[in-house]
Amino acid sequence: MRADGQPSWMIHEDASIPVLLALWLRDTLHIASPTDLPRLRGVSVGAPPERDVDAQDRLERQWREWWAMTVEPEAHPSPVPLELVDEYGTWVALPTTGAEDLAEAIRPLHVEATSWVEWARKGYTRAASGRPSDSYRAYAGTIAEHEREVGRRAHSFELNVEVLPLAERGVWWIGSLTVAVTDSLRTDAAAFDTAIHPIIAEIA
């Protein structure tokens, strides 16, 4: 990151609880979207519940709207006030109108959902604590390489990186400023550098 009027960049890496929770509920509720993002690894998913087409469409639409607000809340503010779903404490806030199907569907799942999220979050925290100075170097090195390739300093940019236990290794855009990275890829320094380079090249 540069100061003194020079181009600067900011990368925030996390495995945020709201994103983990939304994806666990996506898999468990058999939500198709986003179709290009792999399912979570090791999540036991039962048979699809019996919902008619209209009910499933409403549920999927409500989940997609919640997903957008979860990934990038500033870019996707709710048009109506939000209300906490009591069973999830402060983890889930849904629009007071237009999310009734989703709220009803996720309430019975809160024990299993929160237990899995706590487990996944601990896994990320353990992995991240093992590389206290590596996070900065992982991105700074890629940005420096990009600057050498293009013969100029990187443009100012902001990027959010969600490190997730996905079933496939890779990097996927999940918002205008946010990518999802498989946790196993993030721990492989050489492979991660190769995978994140096109992302950096696109925005820097």
Side-chain angles (χ1 to χ4, degrees), residues 167-194:
E168 299 175 25
R169 278 167 60 106
V171 182
W172 297 265
W173 282 104
I174 57 173
S176 59
L177 301 173
T178 309
V179 295
V181 176
T182 311
D183 55 354
S184 60
L185 177 61
R186 180 62 185 90
T187 59
D188 184 336
F192 177 70
D193 182 69
T194 299

Side-chain angles (χ1 to χ4, degrees), residues 28-177:
T28 305
L29 294 172
H30 297 269
I31 303 294
S33 302
T35 56
D36 60 332
L37 187 65
R39 299 286 163 173
L40 294 169
R41 185 176 64 249
V43 173
S44 178
V45 178
E50 294 184 4
R51 301 188 191 102
D52 63 39
V53 174
D54 290 341
Q56 184 67 26
D57 286 348
R58 288 195 305 272
L59 184 63
E60 298 224 7
R61 175 179 52 78
Q62 292 171 20
W63 184 90
R64 286 194 302 269
E65 292 171 354
W66 176 49
W67 172 246
M69 289 189 293
T70 298
V71 173
E72 293 180 350
E74 293 183 2
H76 301 278
S78 173
V80 299
L82 299 177
E83 184 175 56
L84 292 173
V85 178
D86 292 339
E87 289 84 352
Y88 290 86
T90 59
W91 285 7
V92 178
L94 295 177
T96 52
T97 59
E100 293 82 2
D101 298 81
L102 181 59
E104 181 181 355
I106 70 175
R107 281 195 172 98
L109 302 171
H110 69 97
V111 173
E112 191 176 358
T114 55
S115 176
W116 182 87
V117 167
E118 289 169 351
W119 170 82
R121 177 68 186 175
K122 287 177 183 176
Y124 168 76
T125 302
R126 282 195 301 271
S129 66
R131 51 174 191 268
S133 62
D134 175 62
S135 276
Y136 176 82
R137 286 202 303 267
Y139 300 105
T142 301
I143 292 168
E145 182 181 350
H146 171 70
E147 291 177 332
R148 289 192 295 272
E149 289 177 353
V150 299
R152 60 164 175 78
R153 291 192 170 188
H155 298 306
S156 298
F157 70 87
E158 179 180 349
L159 180 67
N160 301 311
V161 179
E162 292 283 350
V163 182
L164 306 170
L166 300 171
E168 299 175 25
R169 278 167 60 106
V171 182
W172 297 265
W173 282 104
I174 57 173
S176 59
L177 301 173

Side-chain angles (χ1 to χ4, degrees), residues 1-28:
M1 189 177 299
R2 298 189 180 91
D4 302 325
Q6 298 295 333
S8 63
W9 53 270
M10 180 170 61
I11 297 177
H12 175 70
E13 182 184 292
D14 198 5
S16 60
I17 286 175
V19 169
L20 287 167
L21 182 58
L23 289 178
W24 187 92
L25 290 167
R26 172 191 77 149
D27 290 0
T28 305

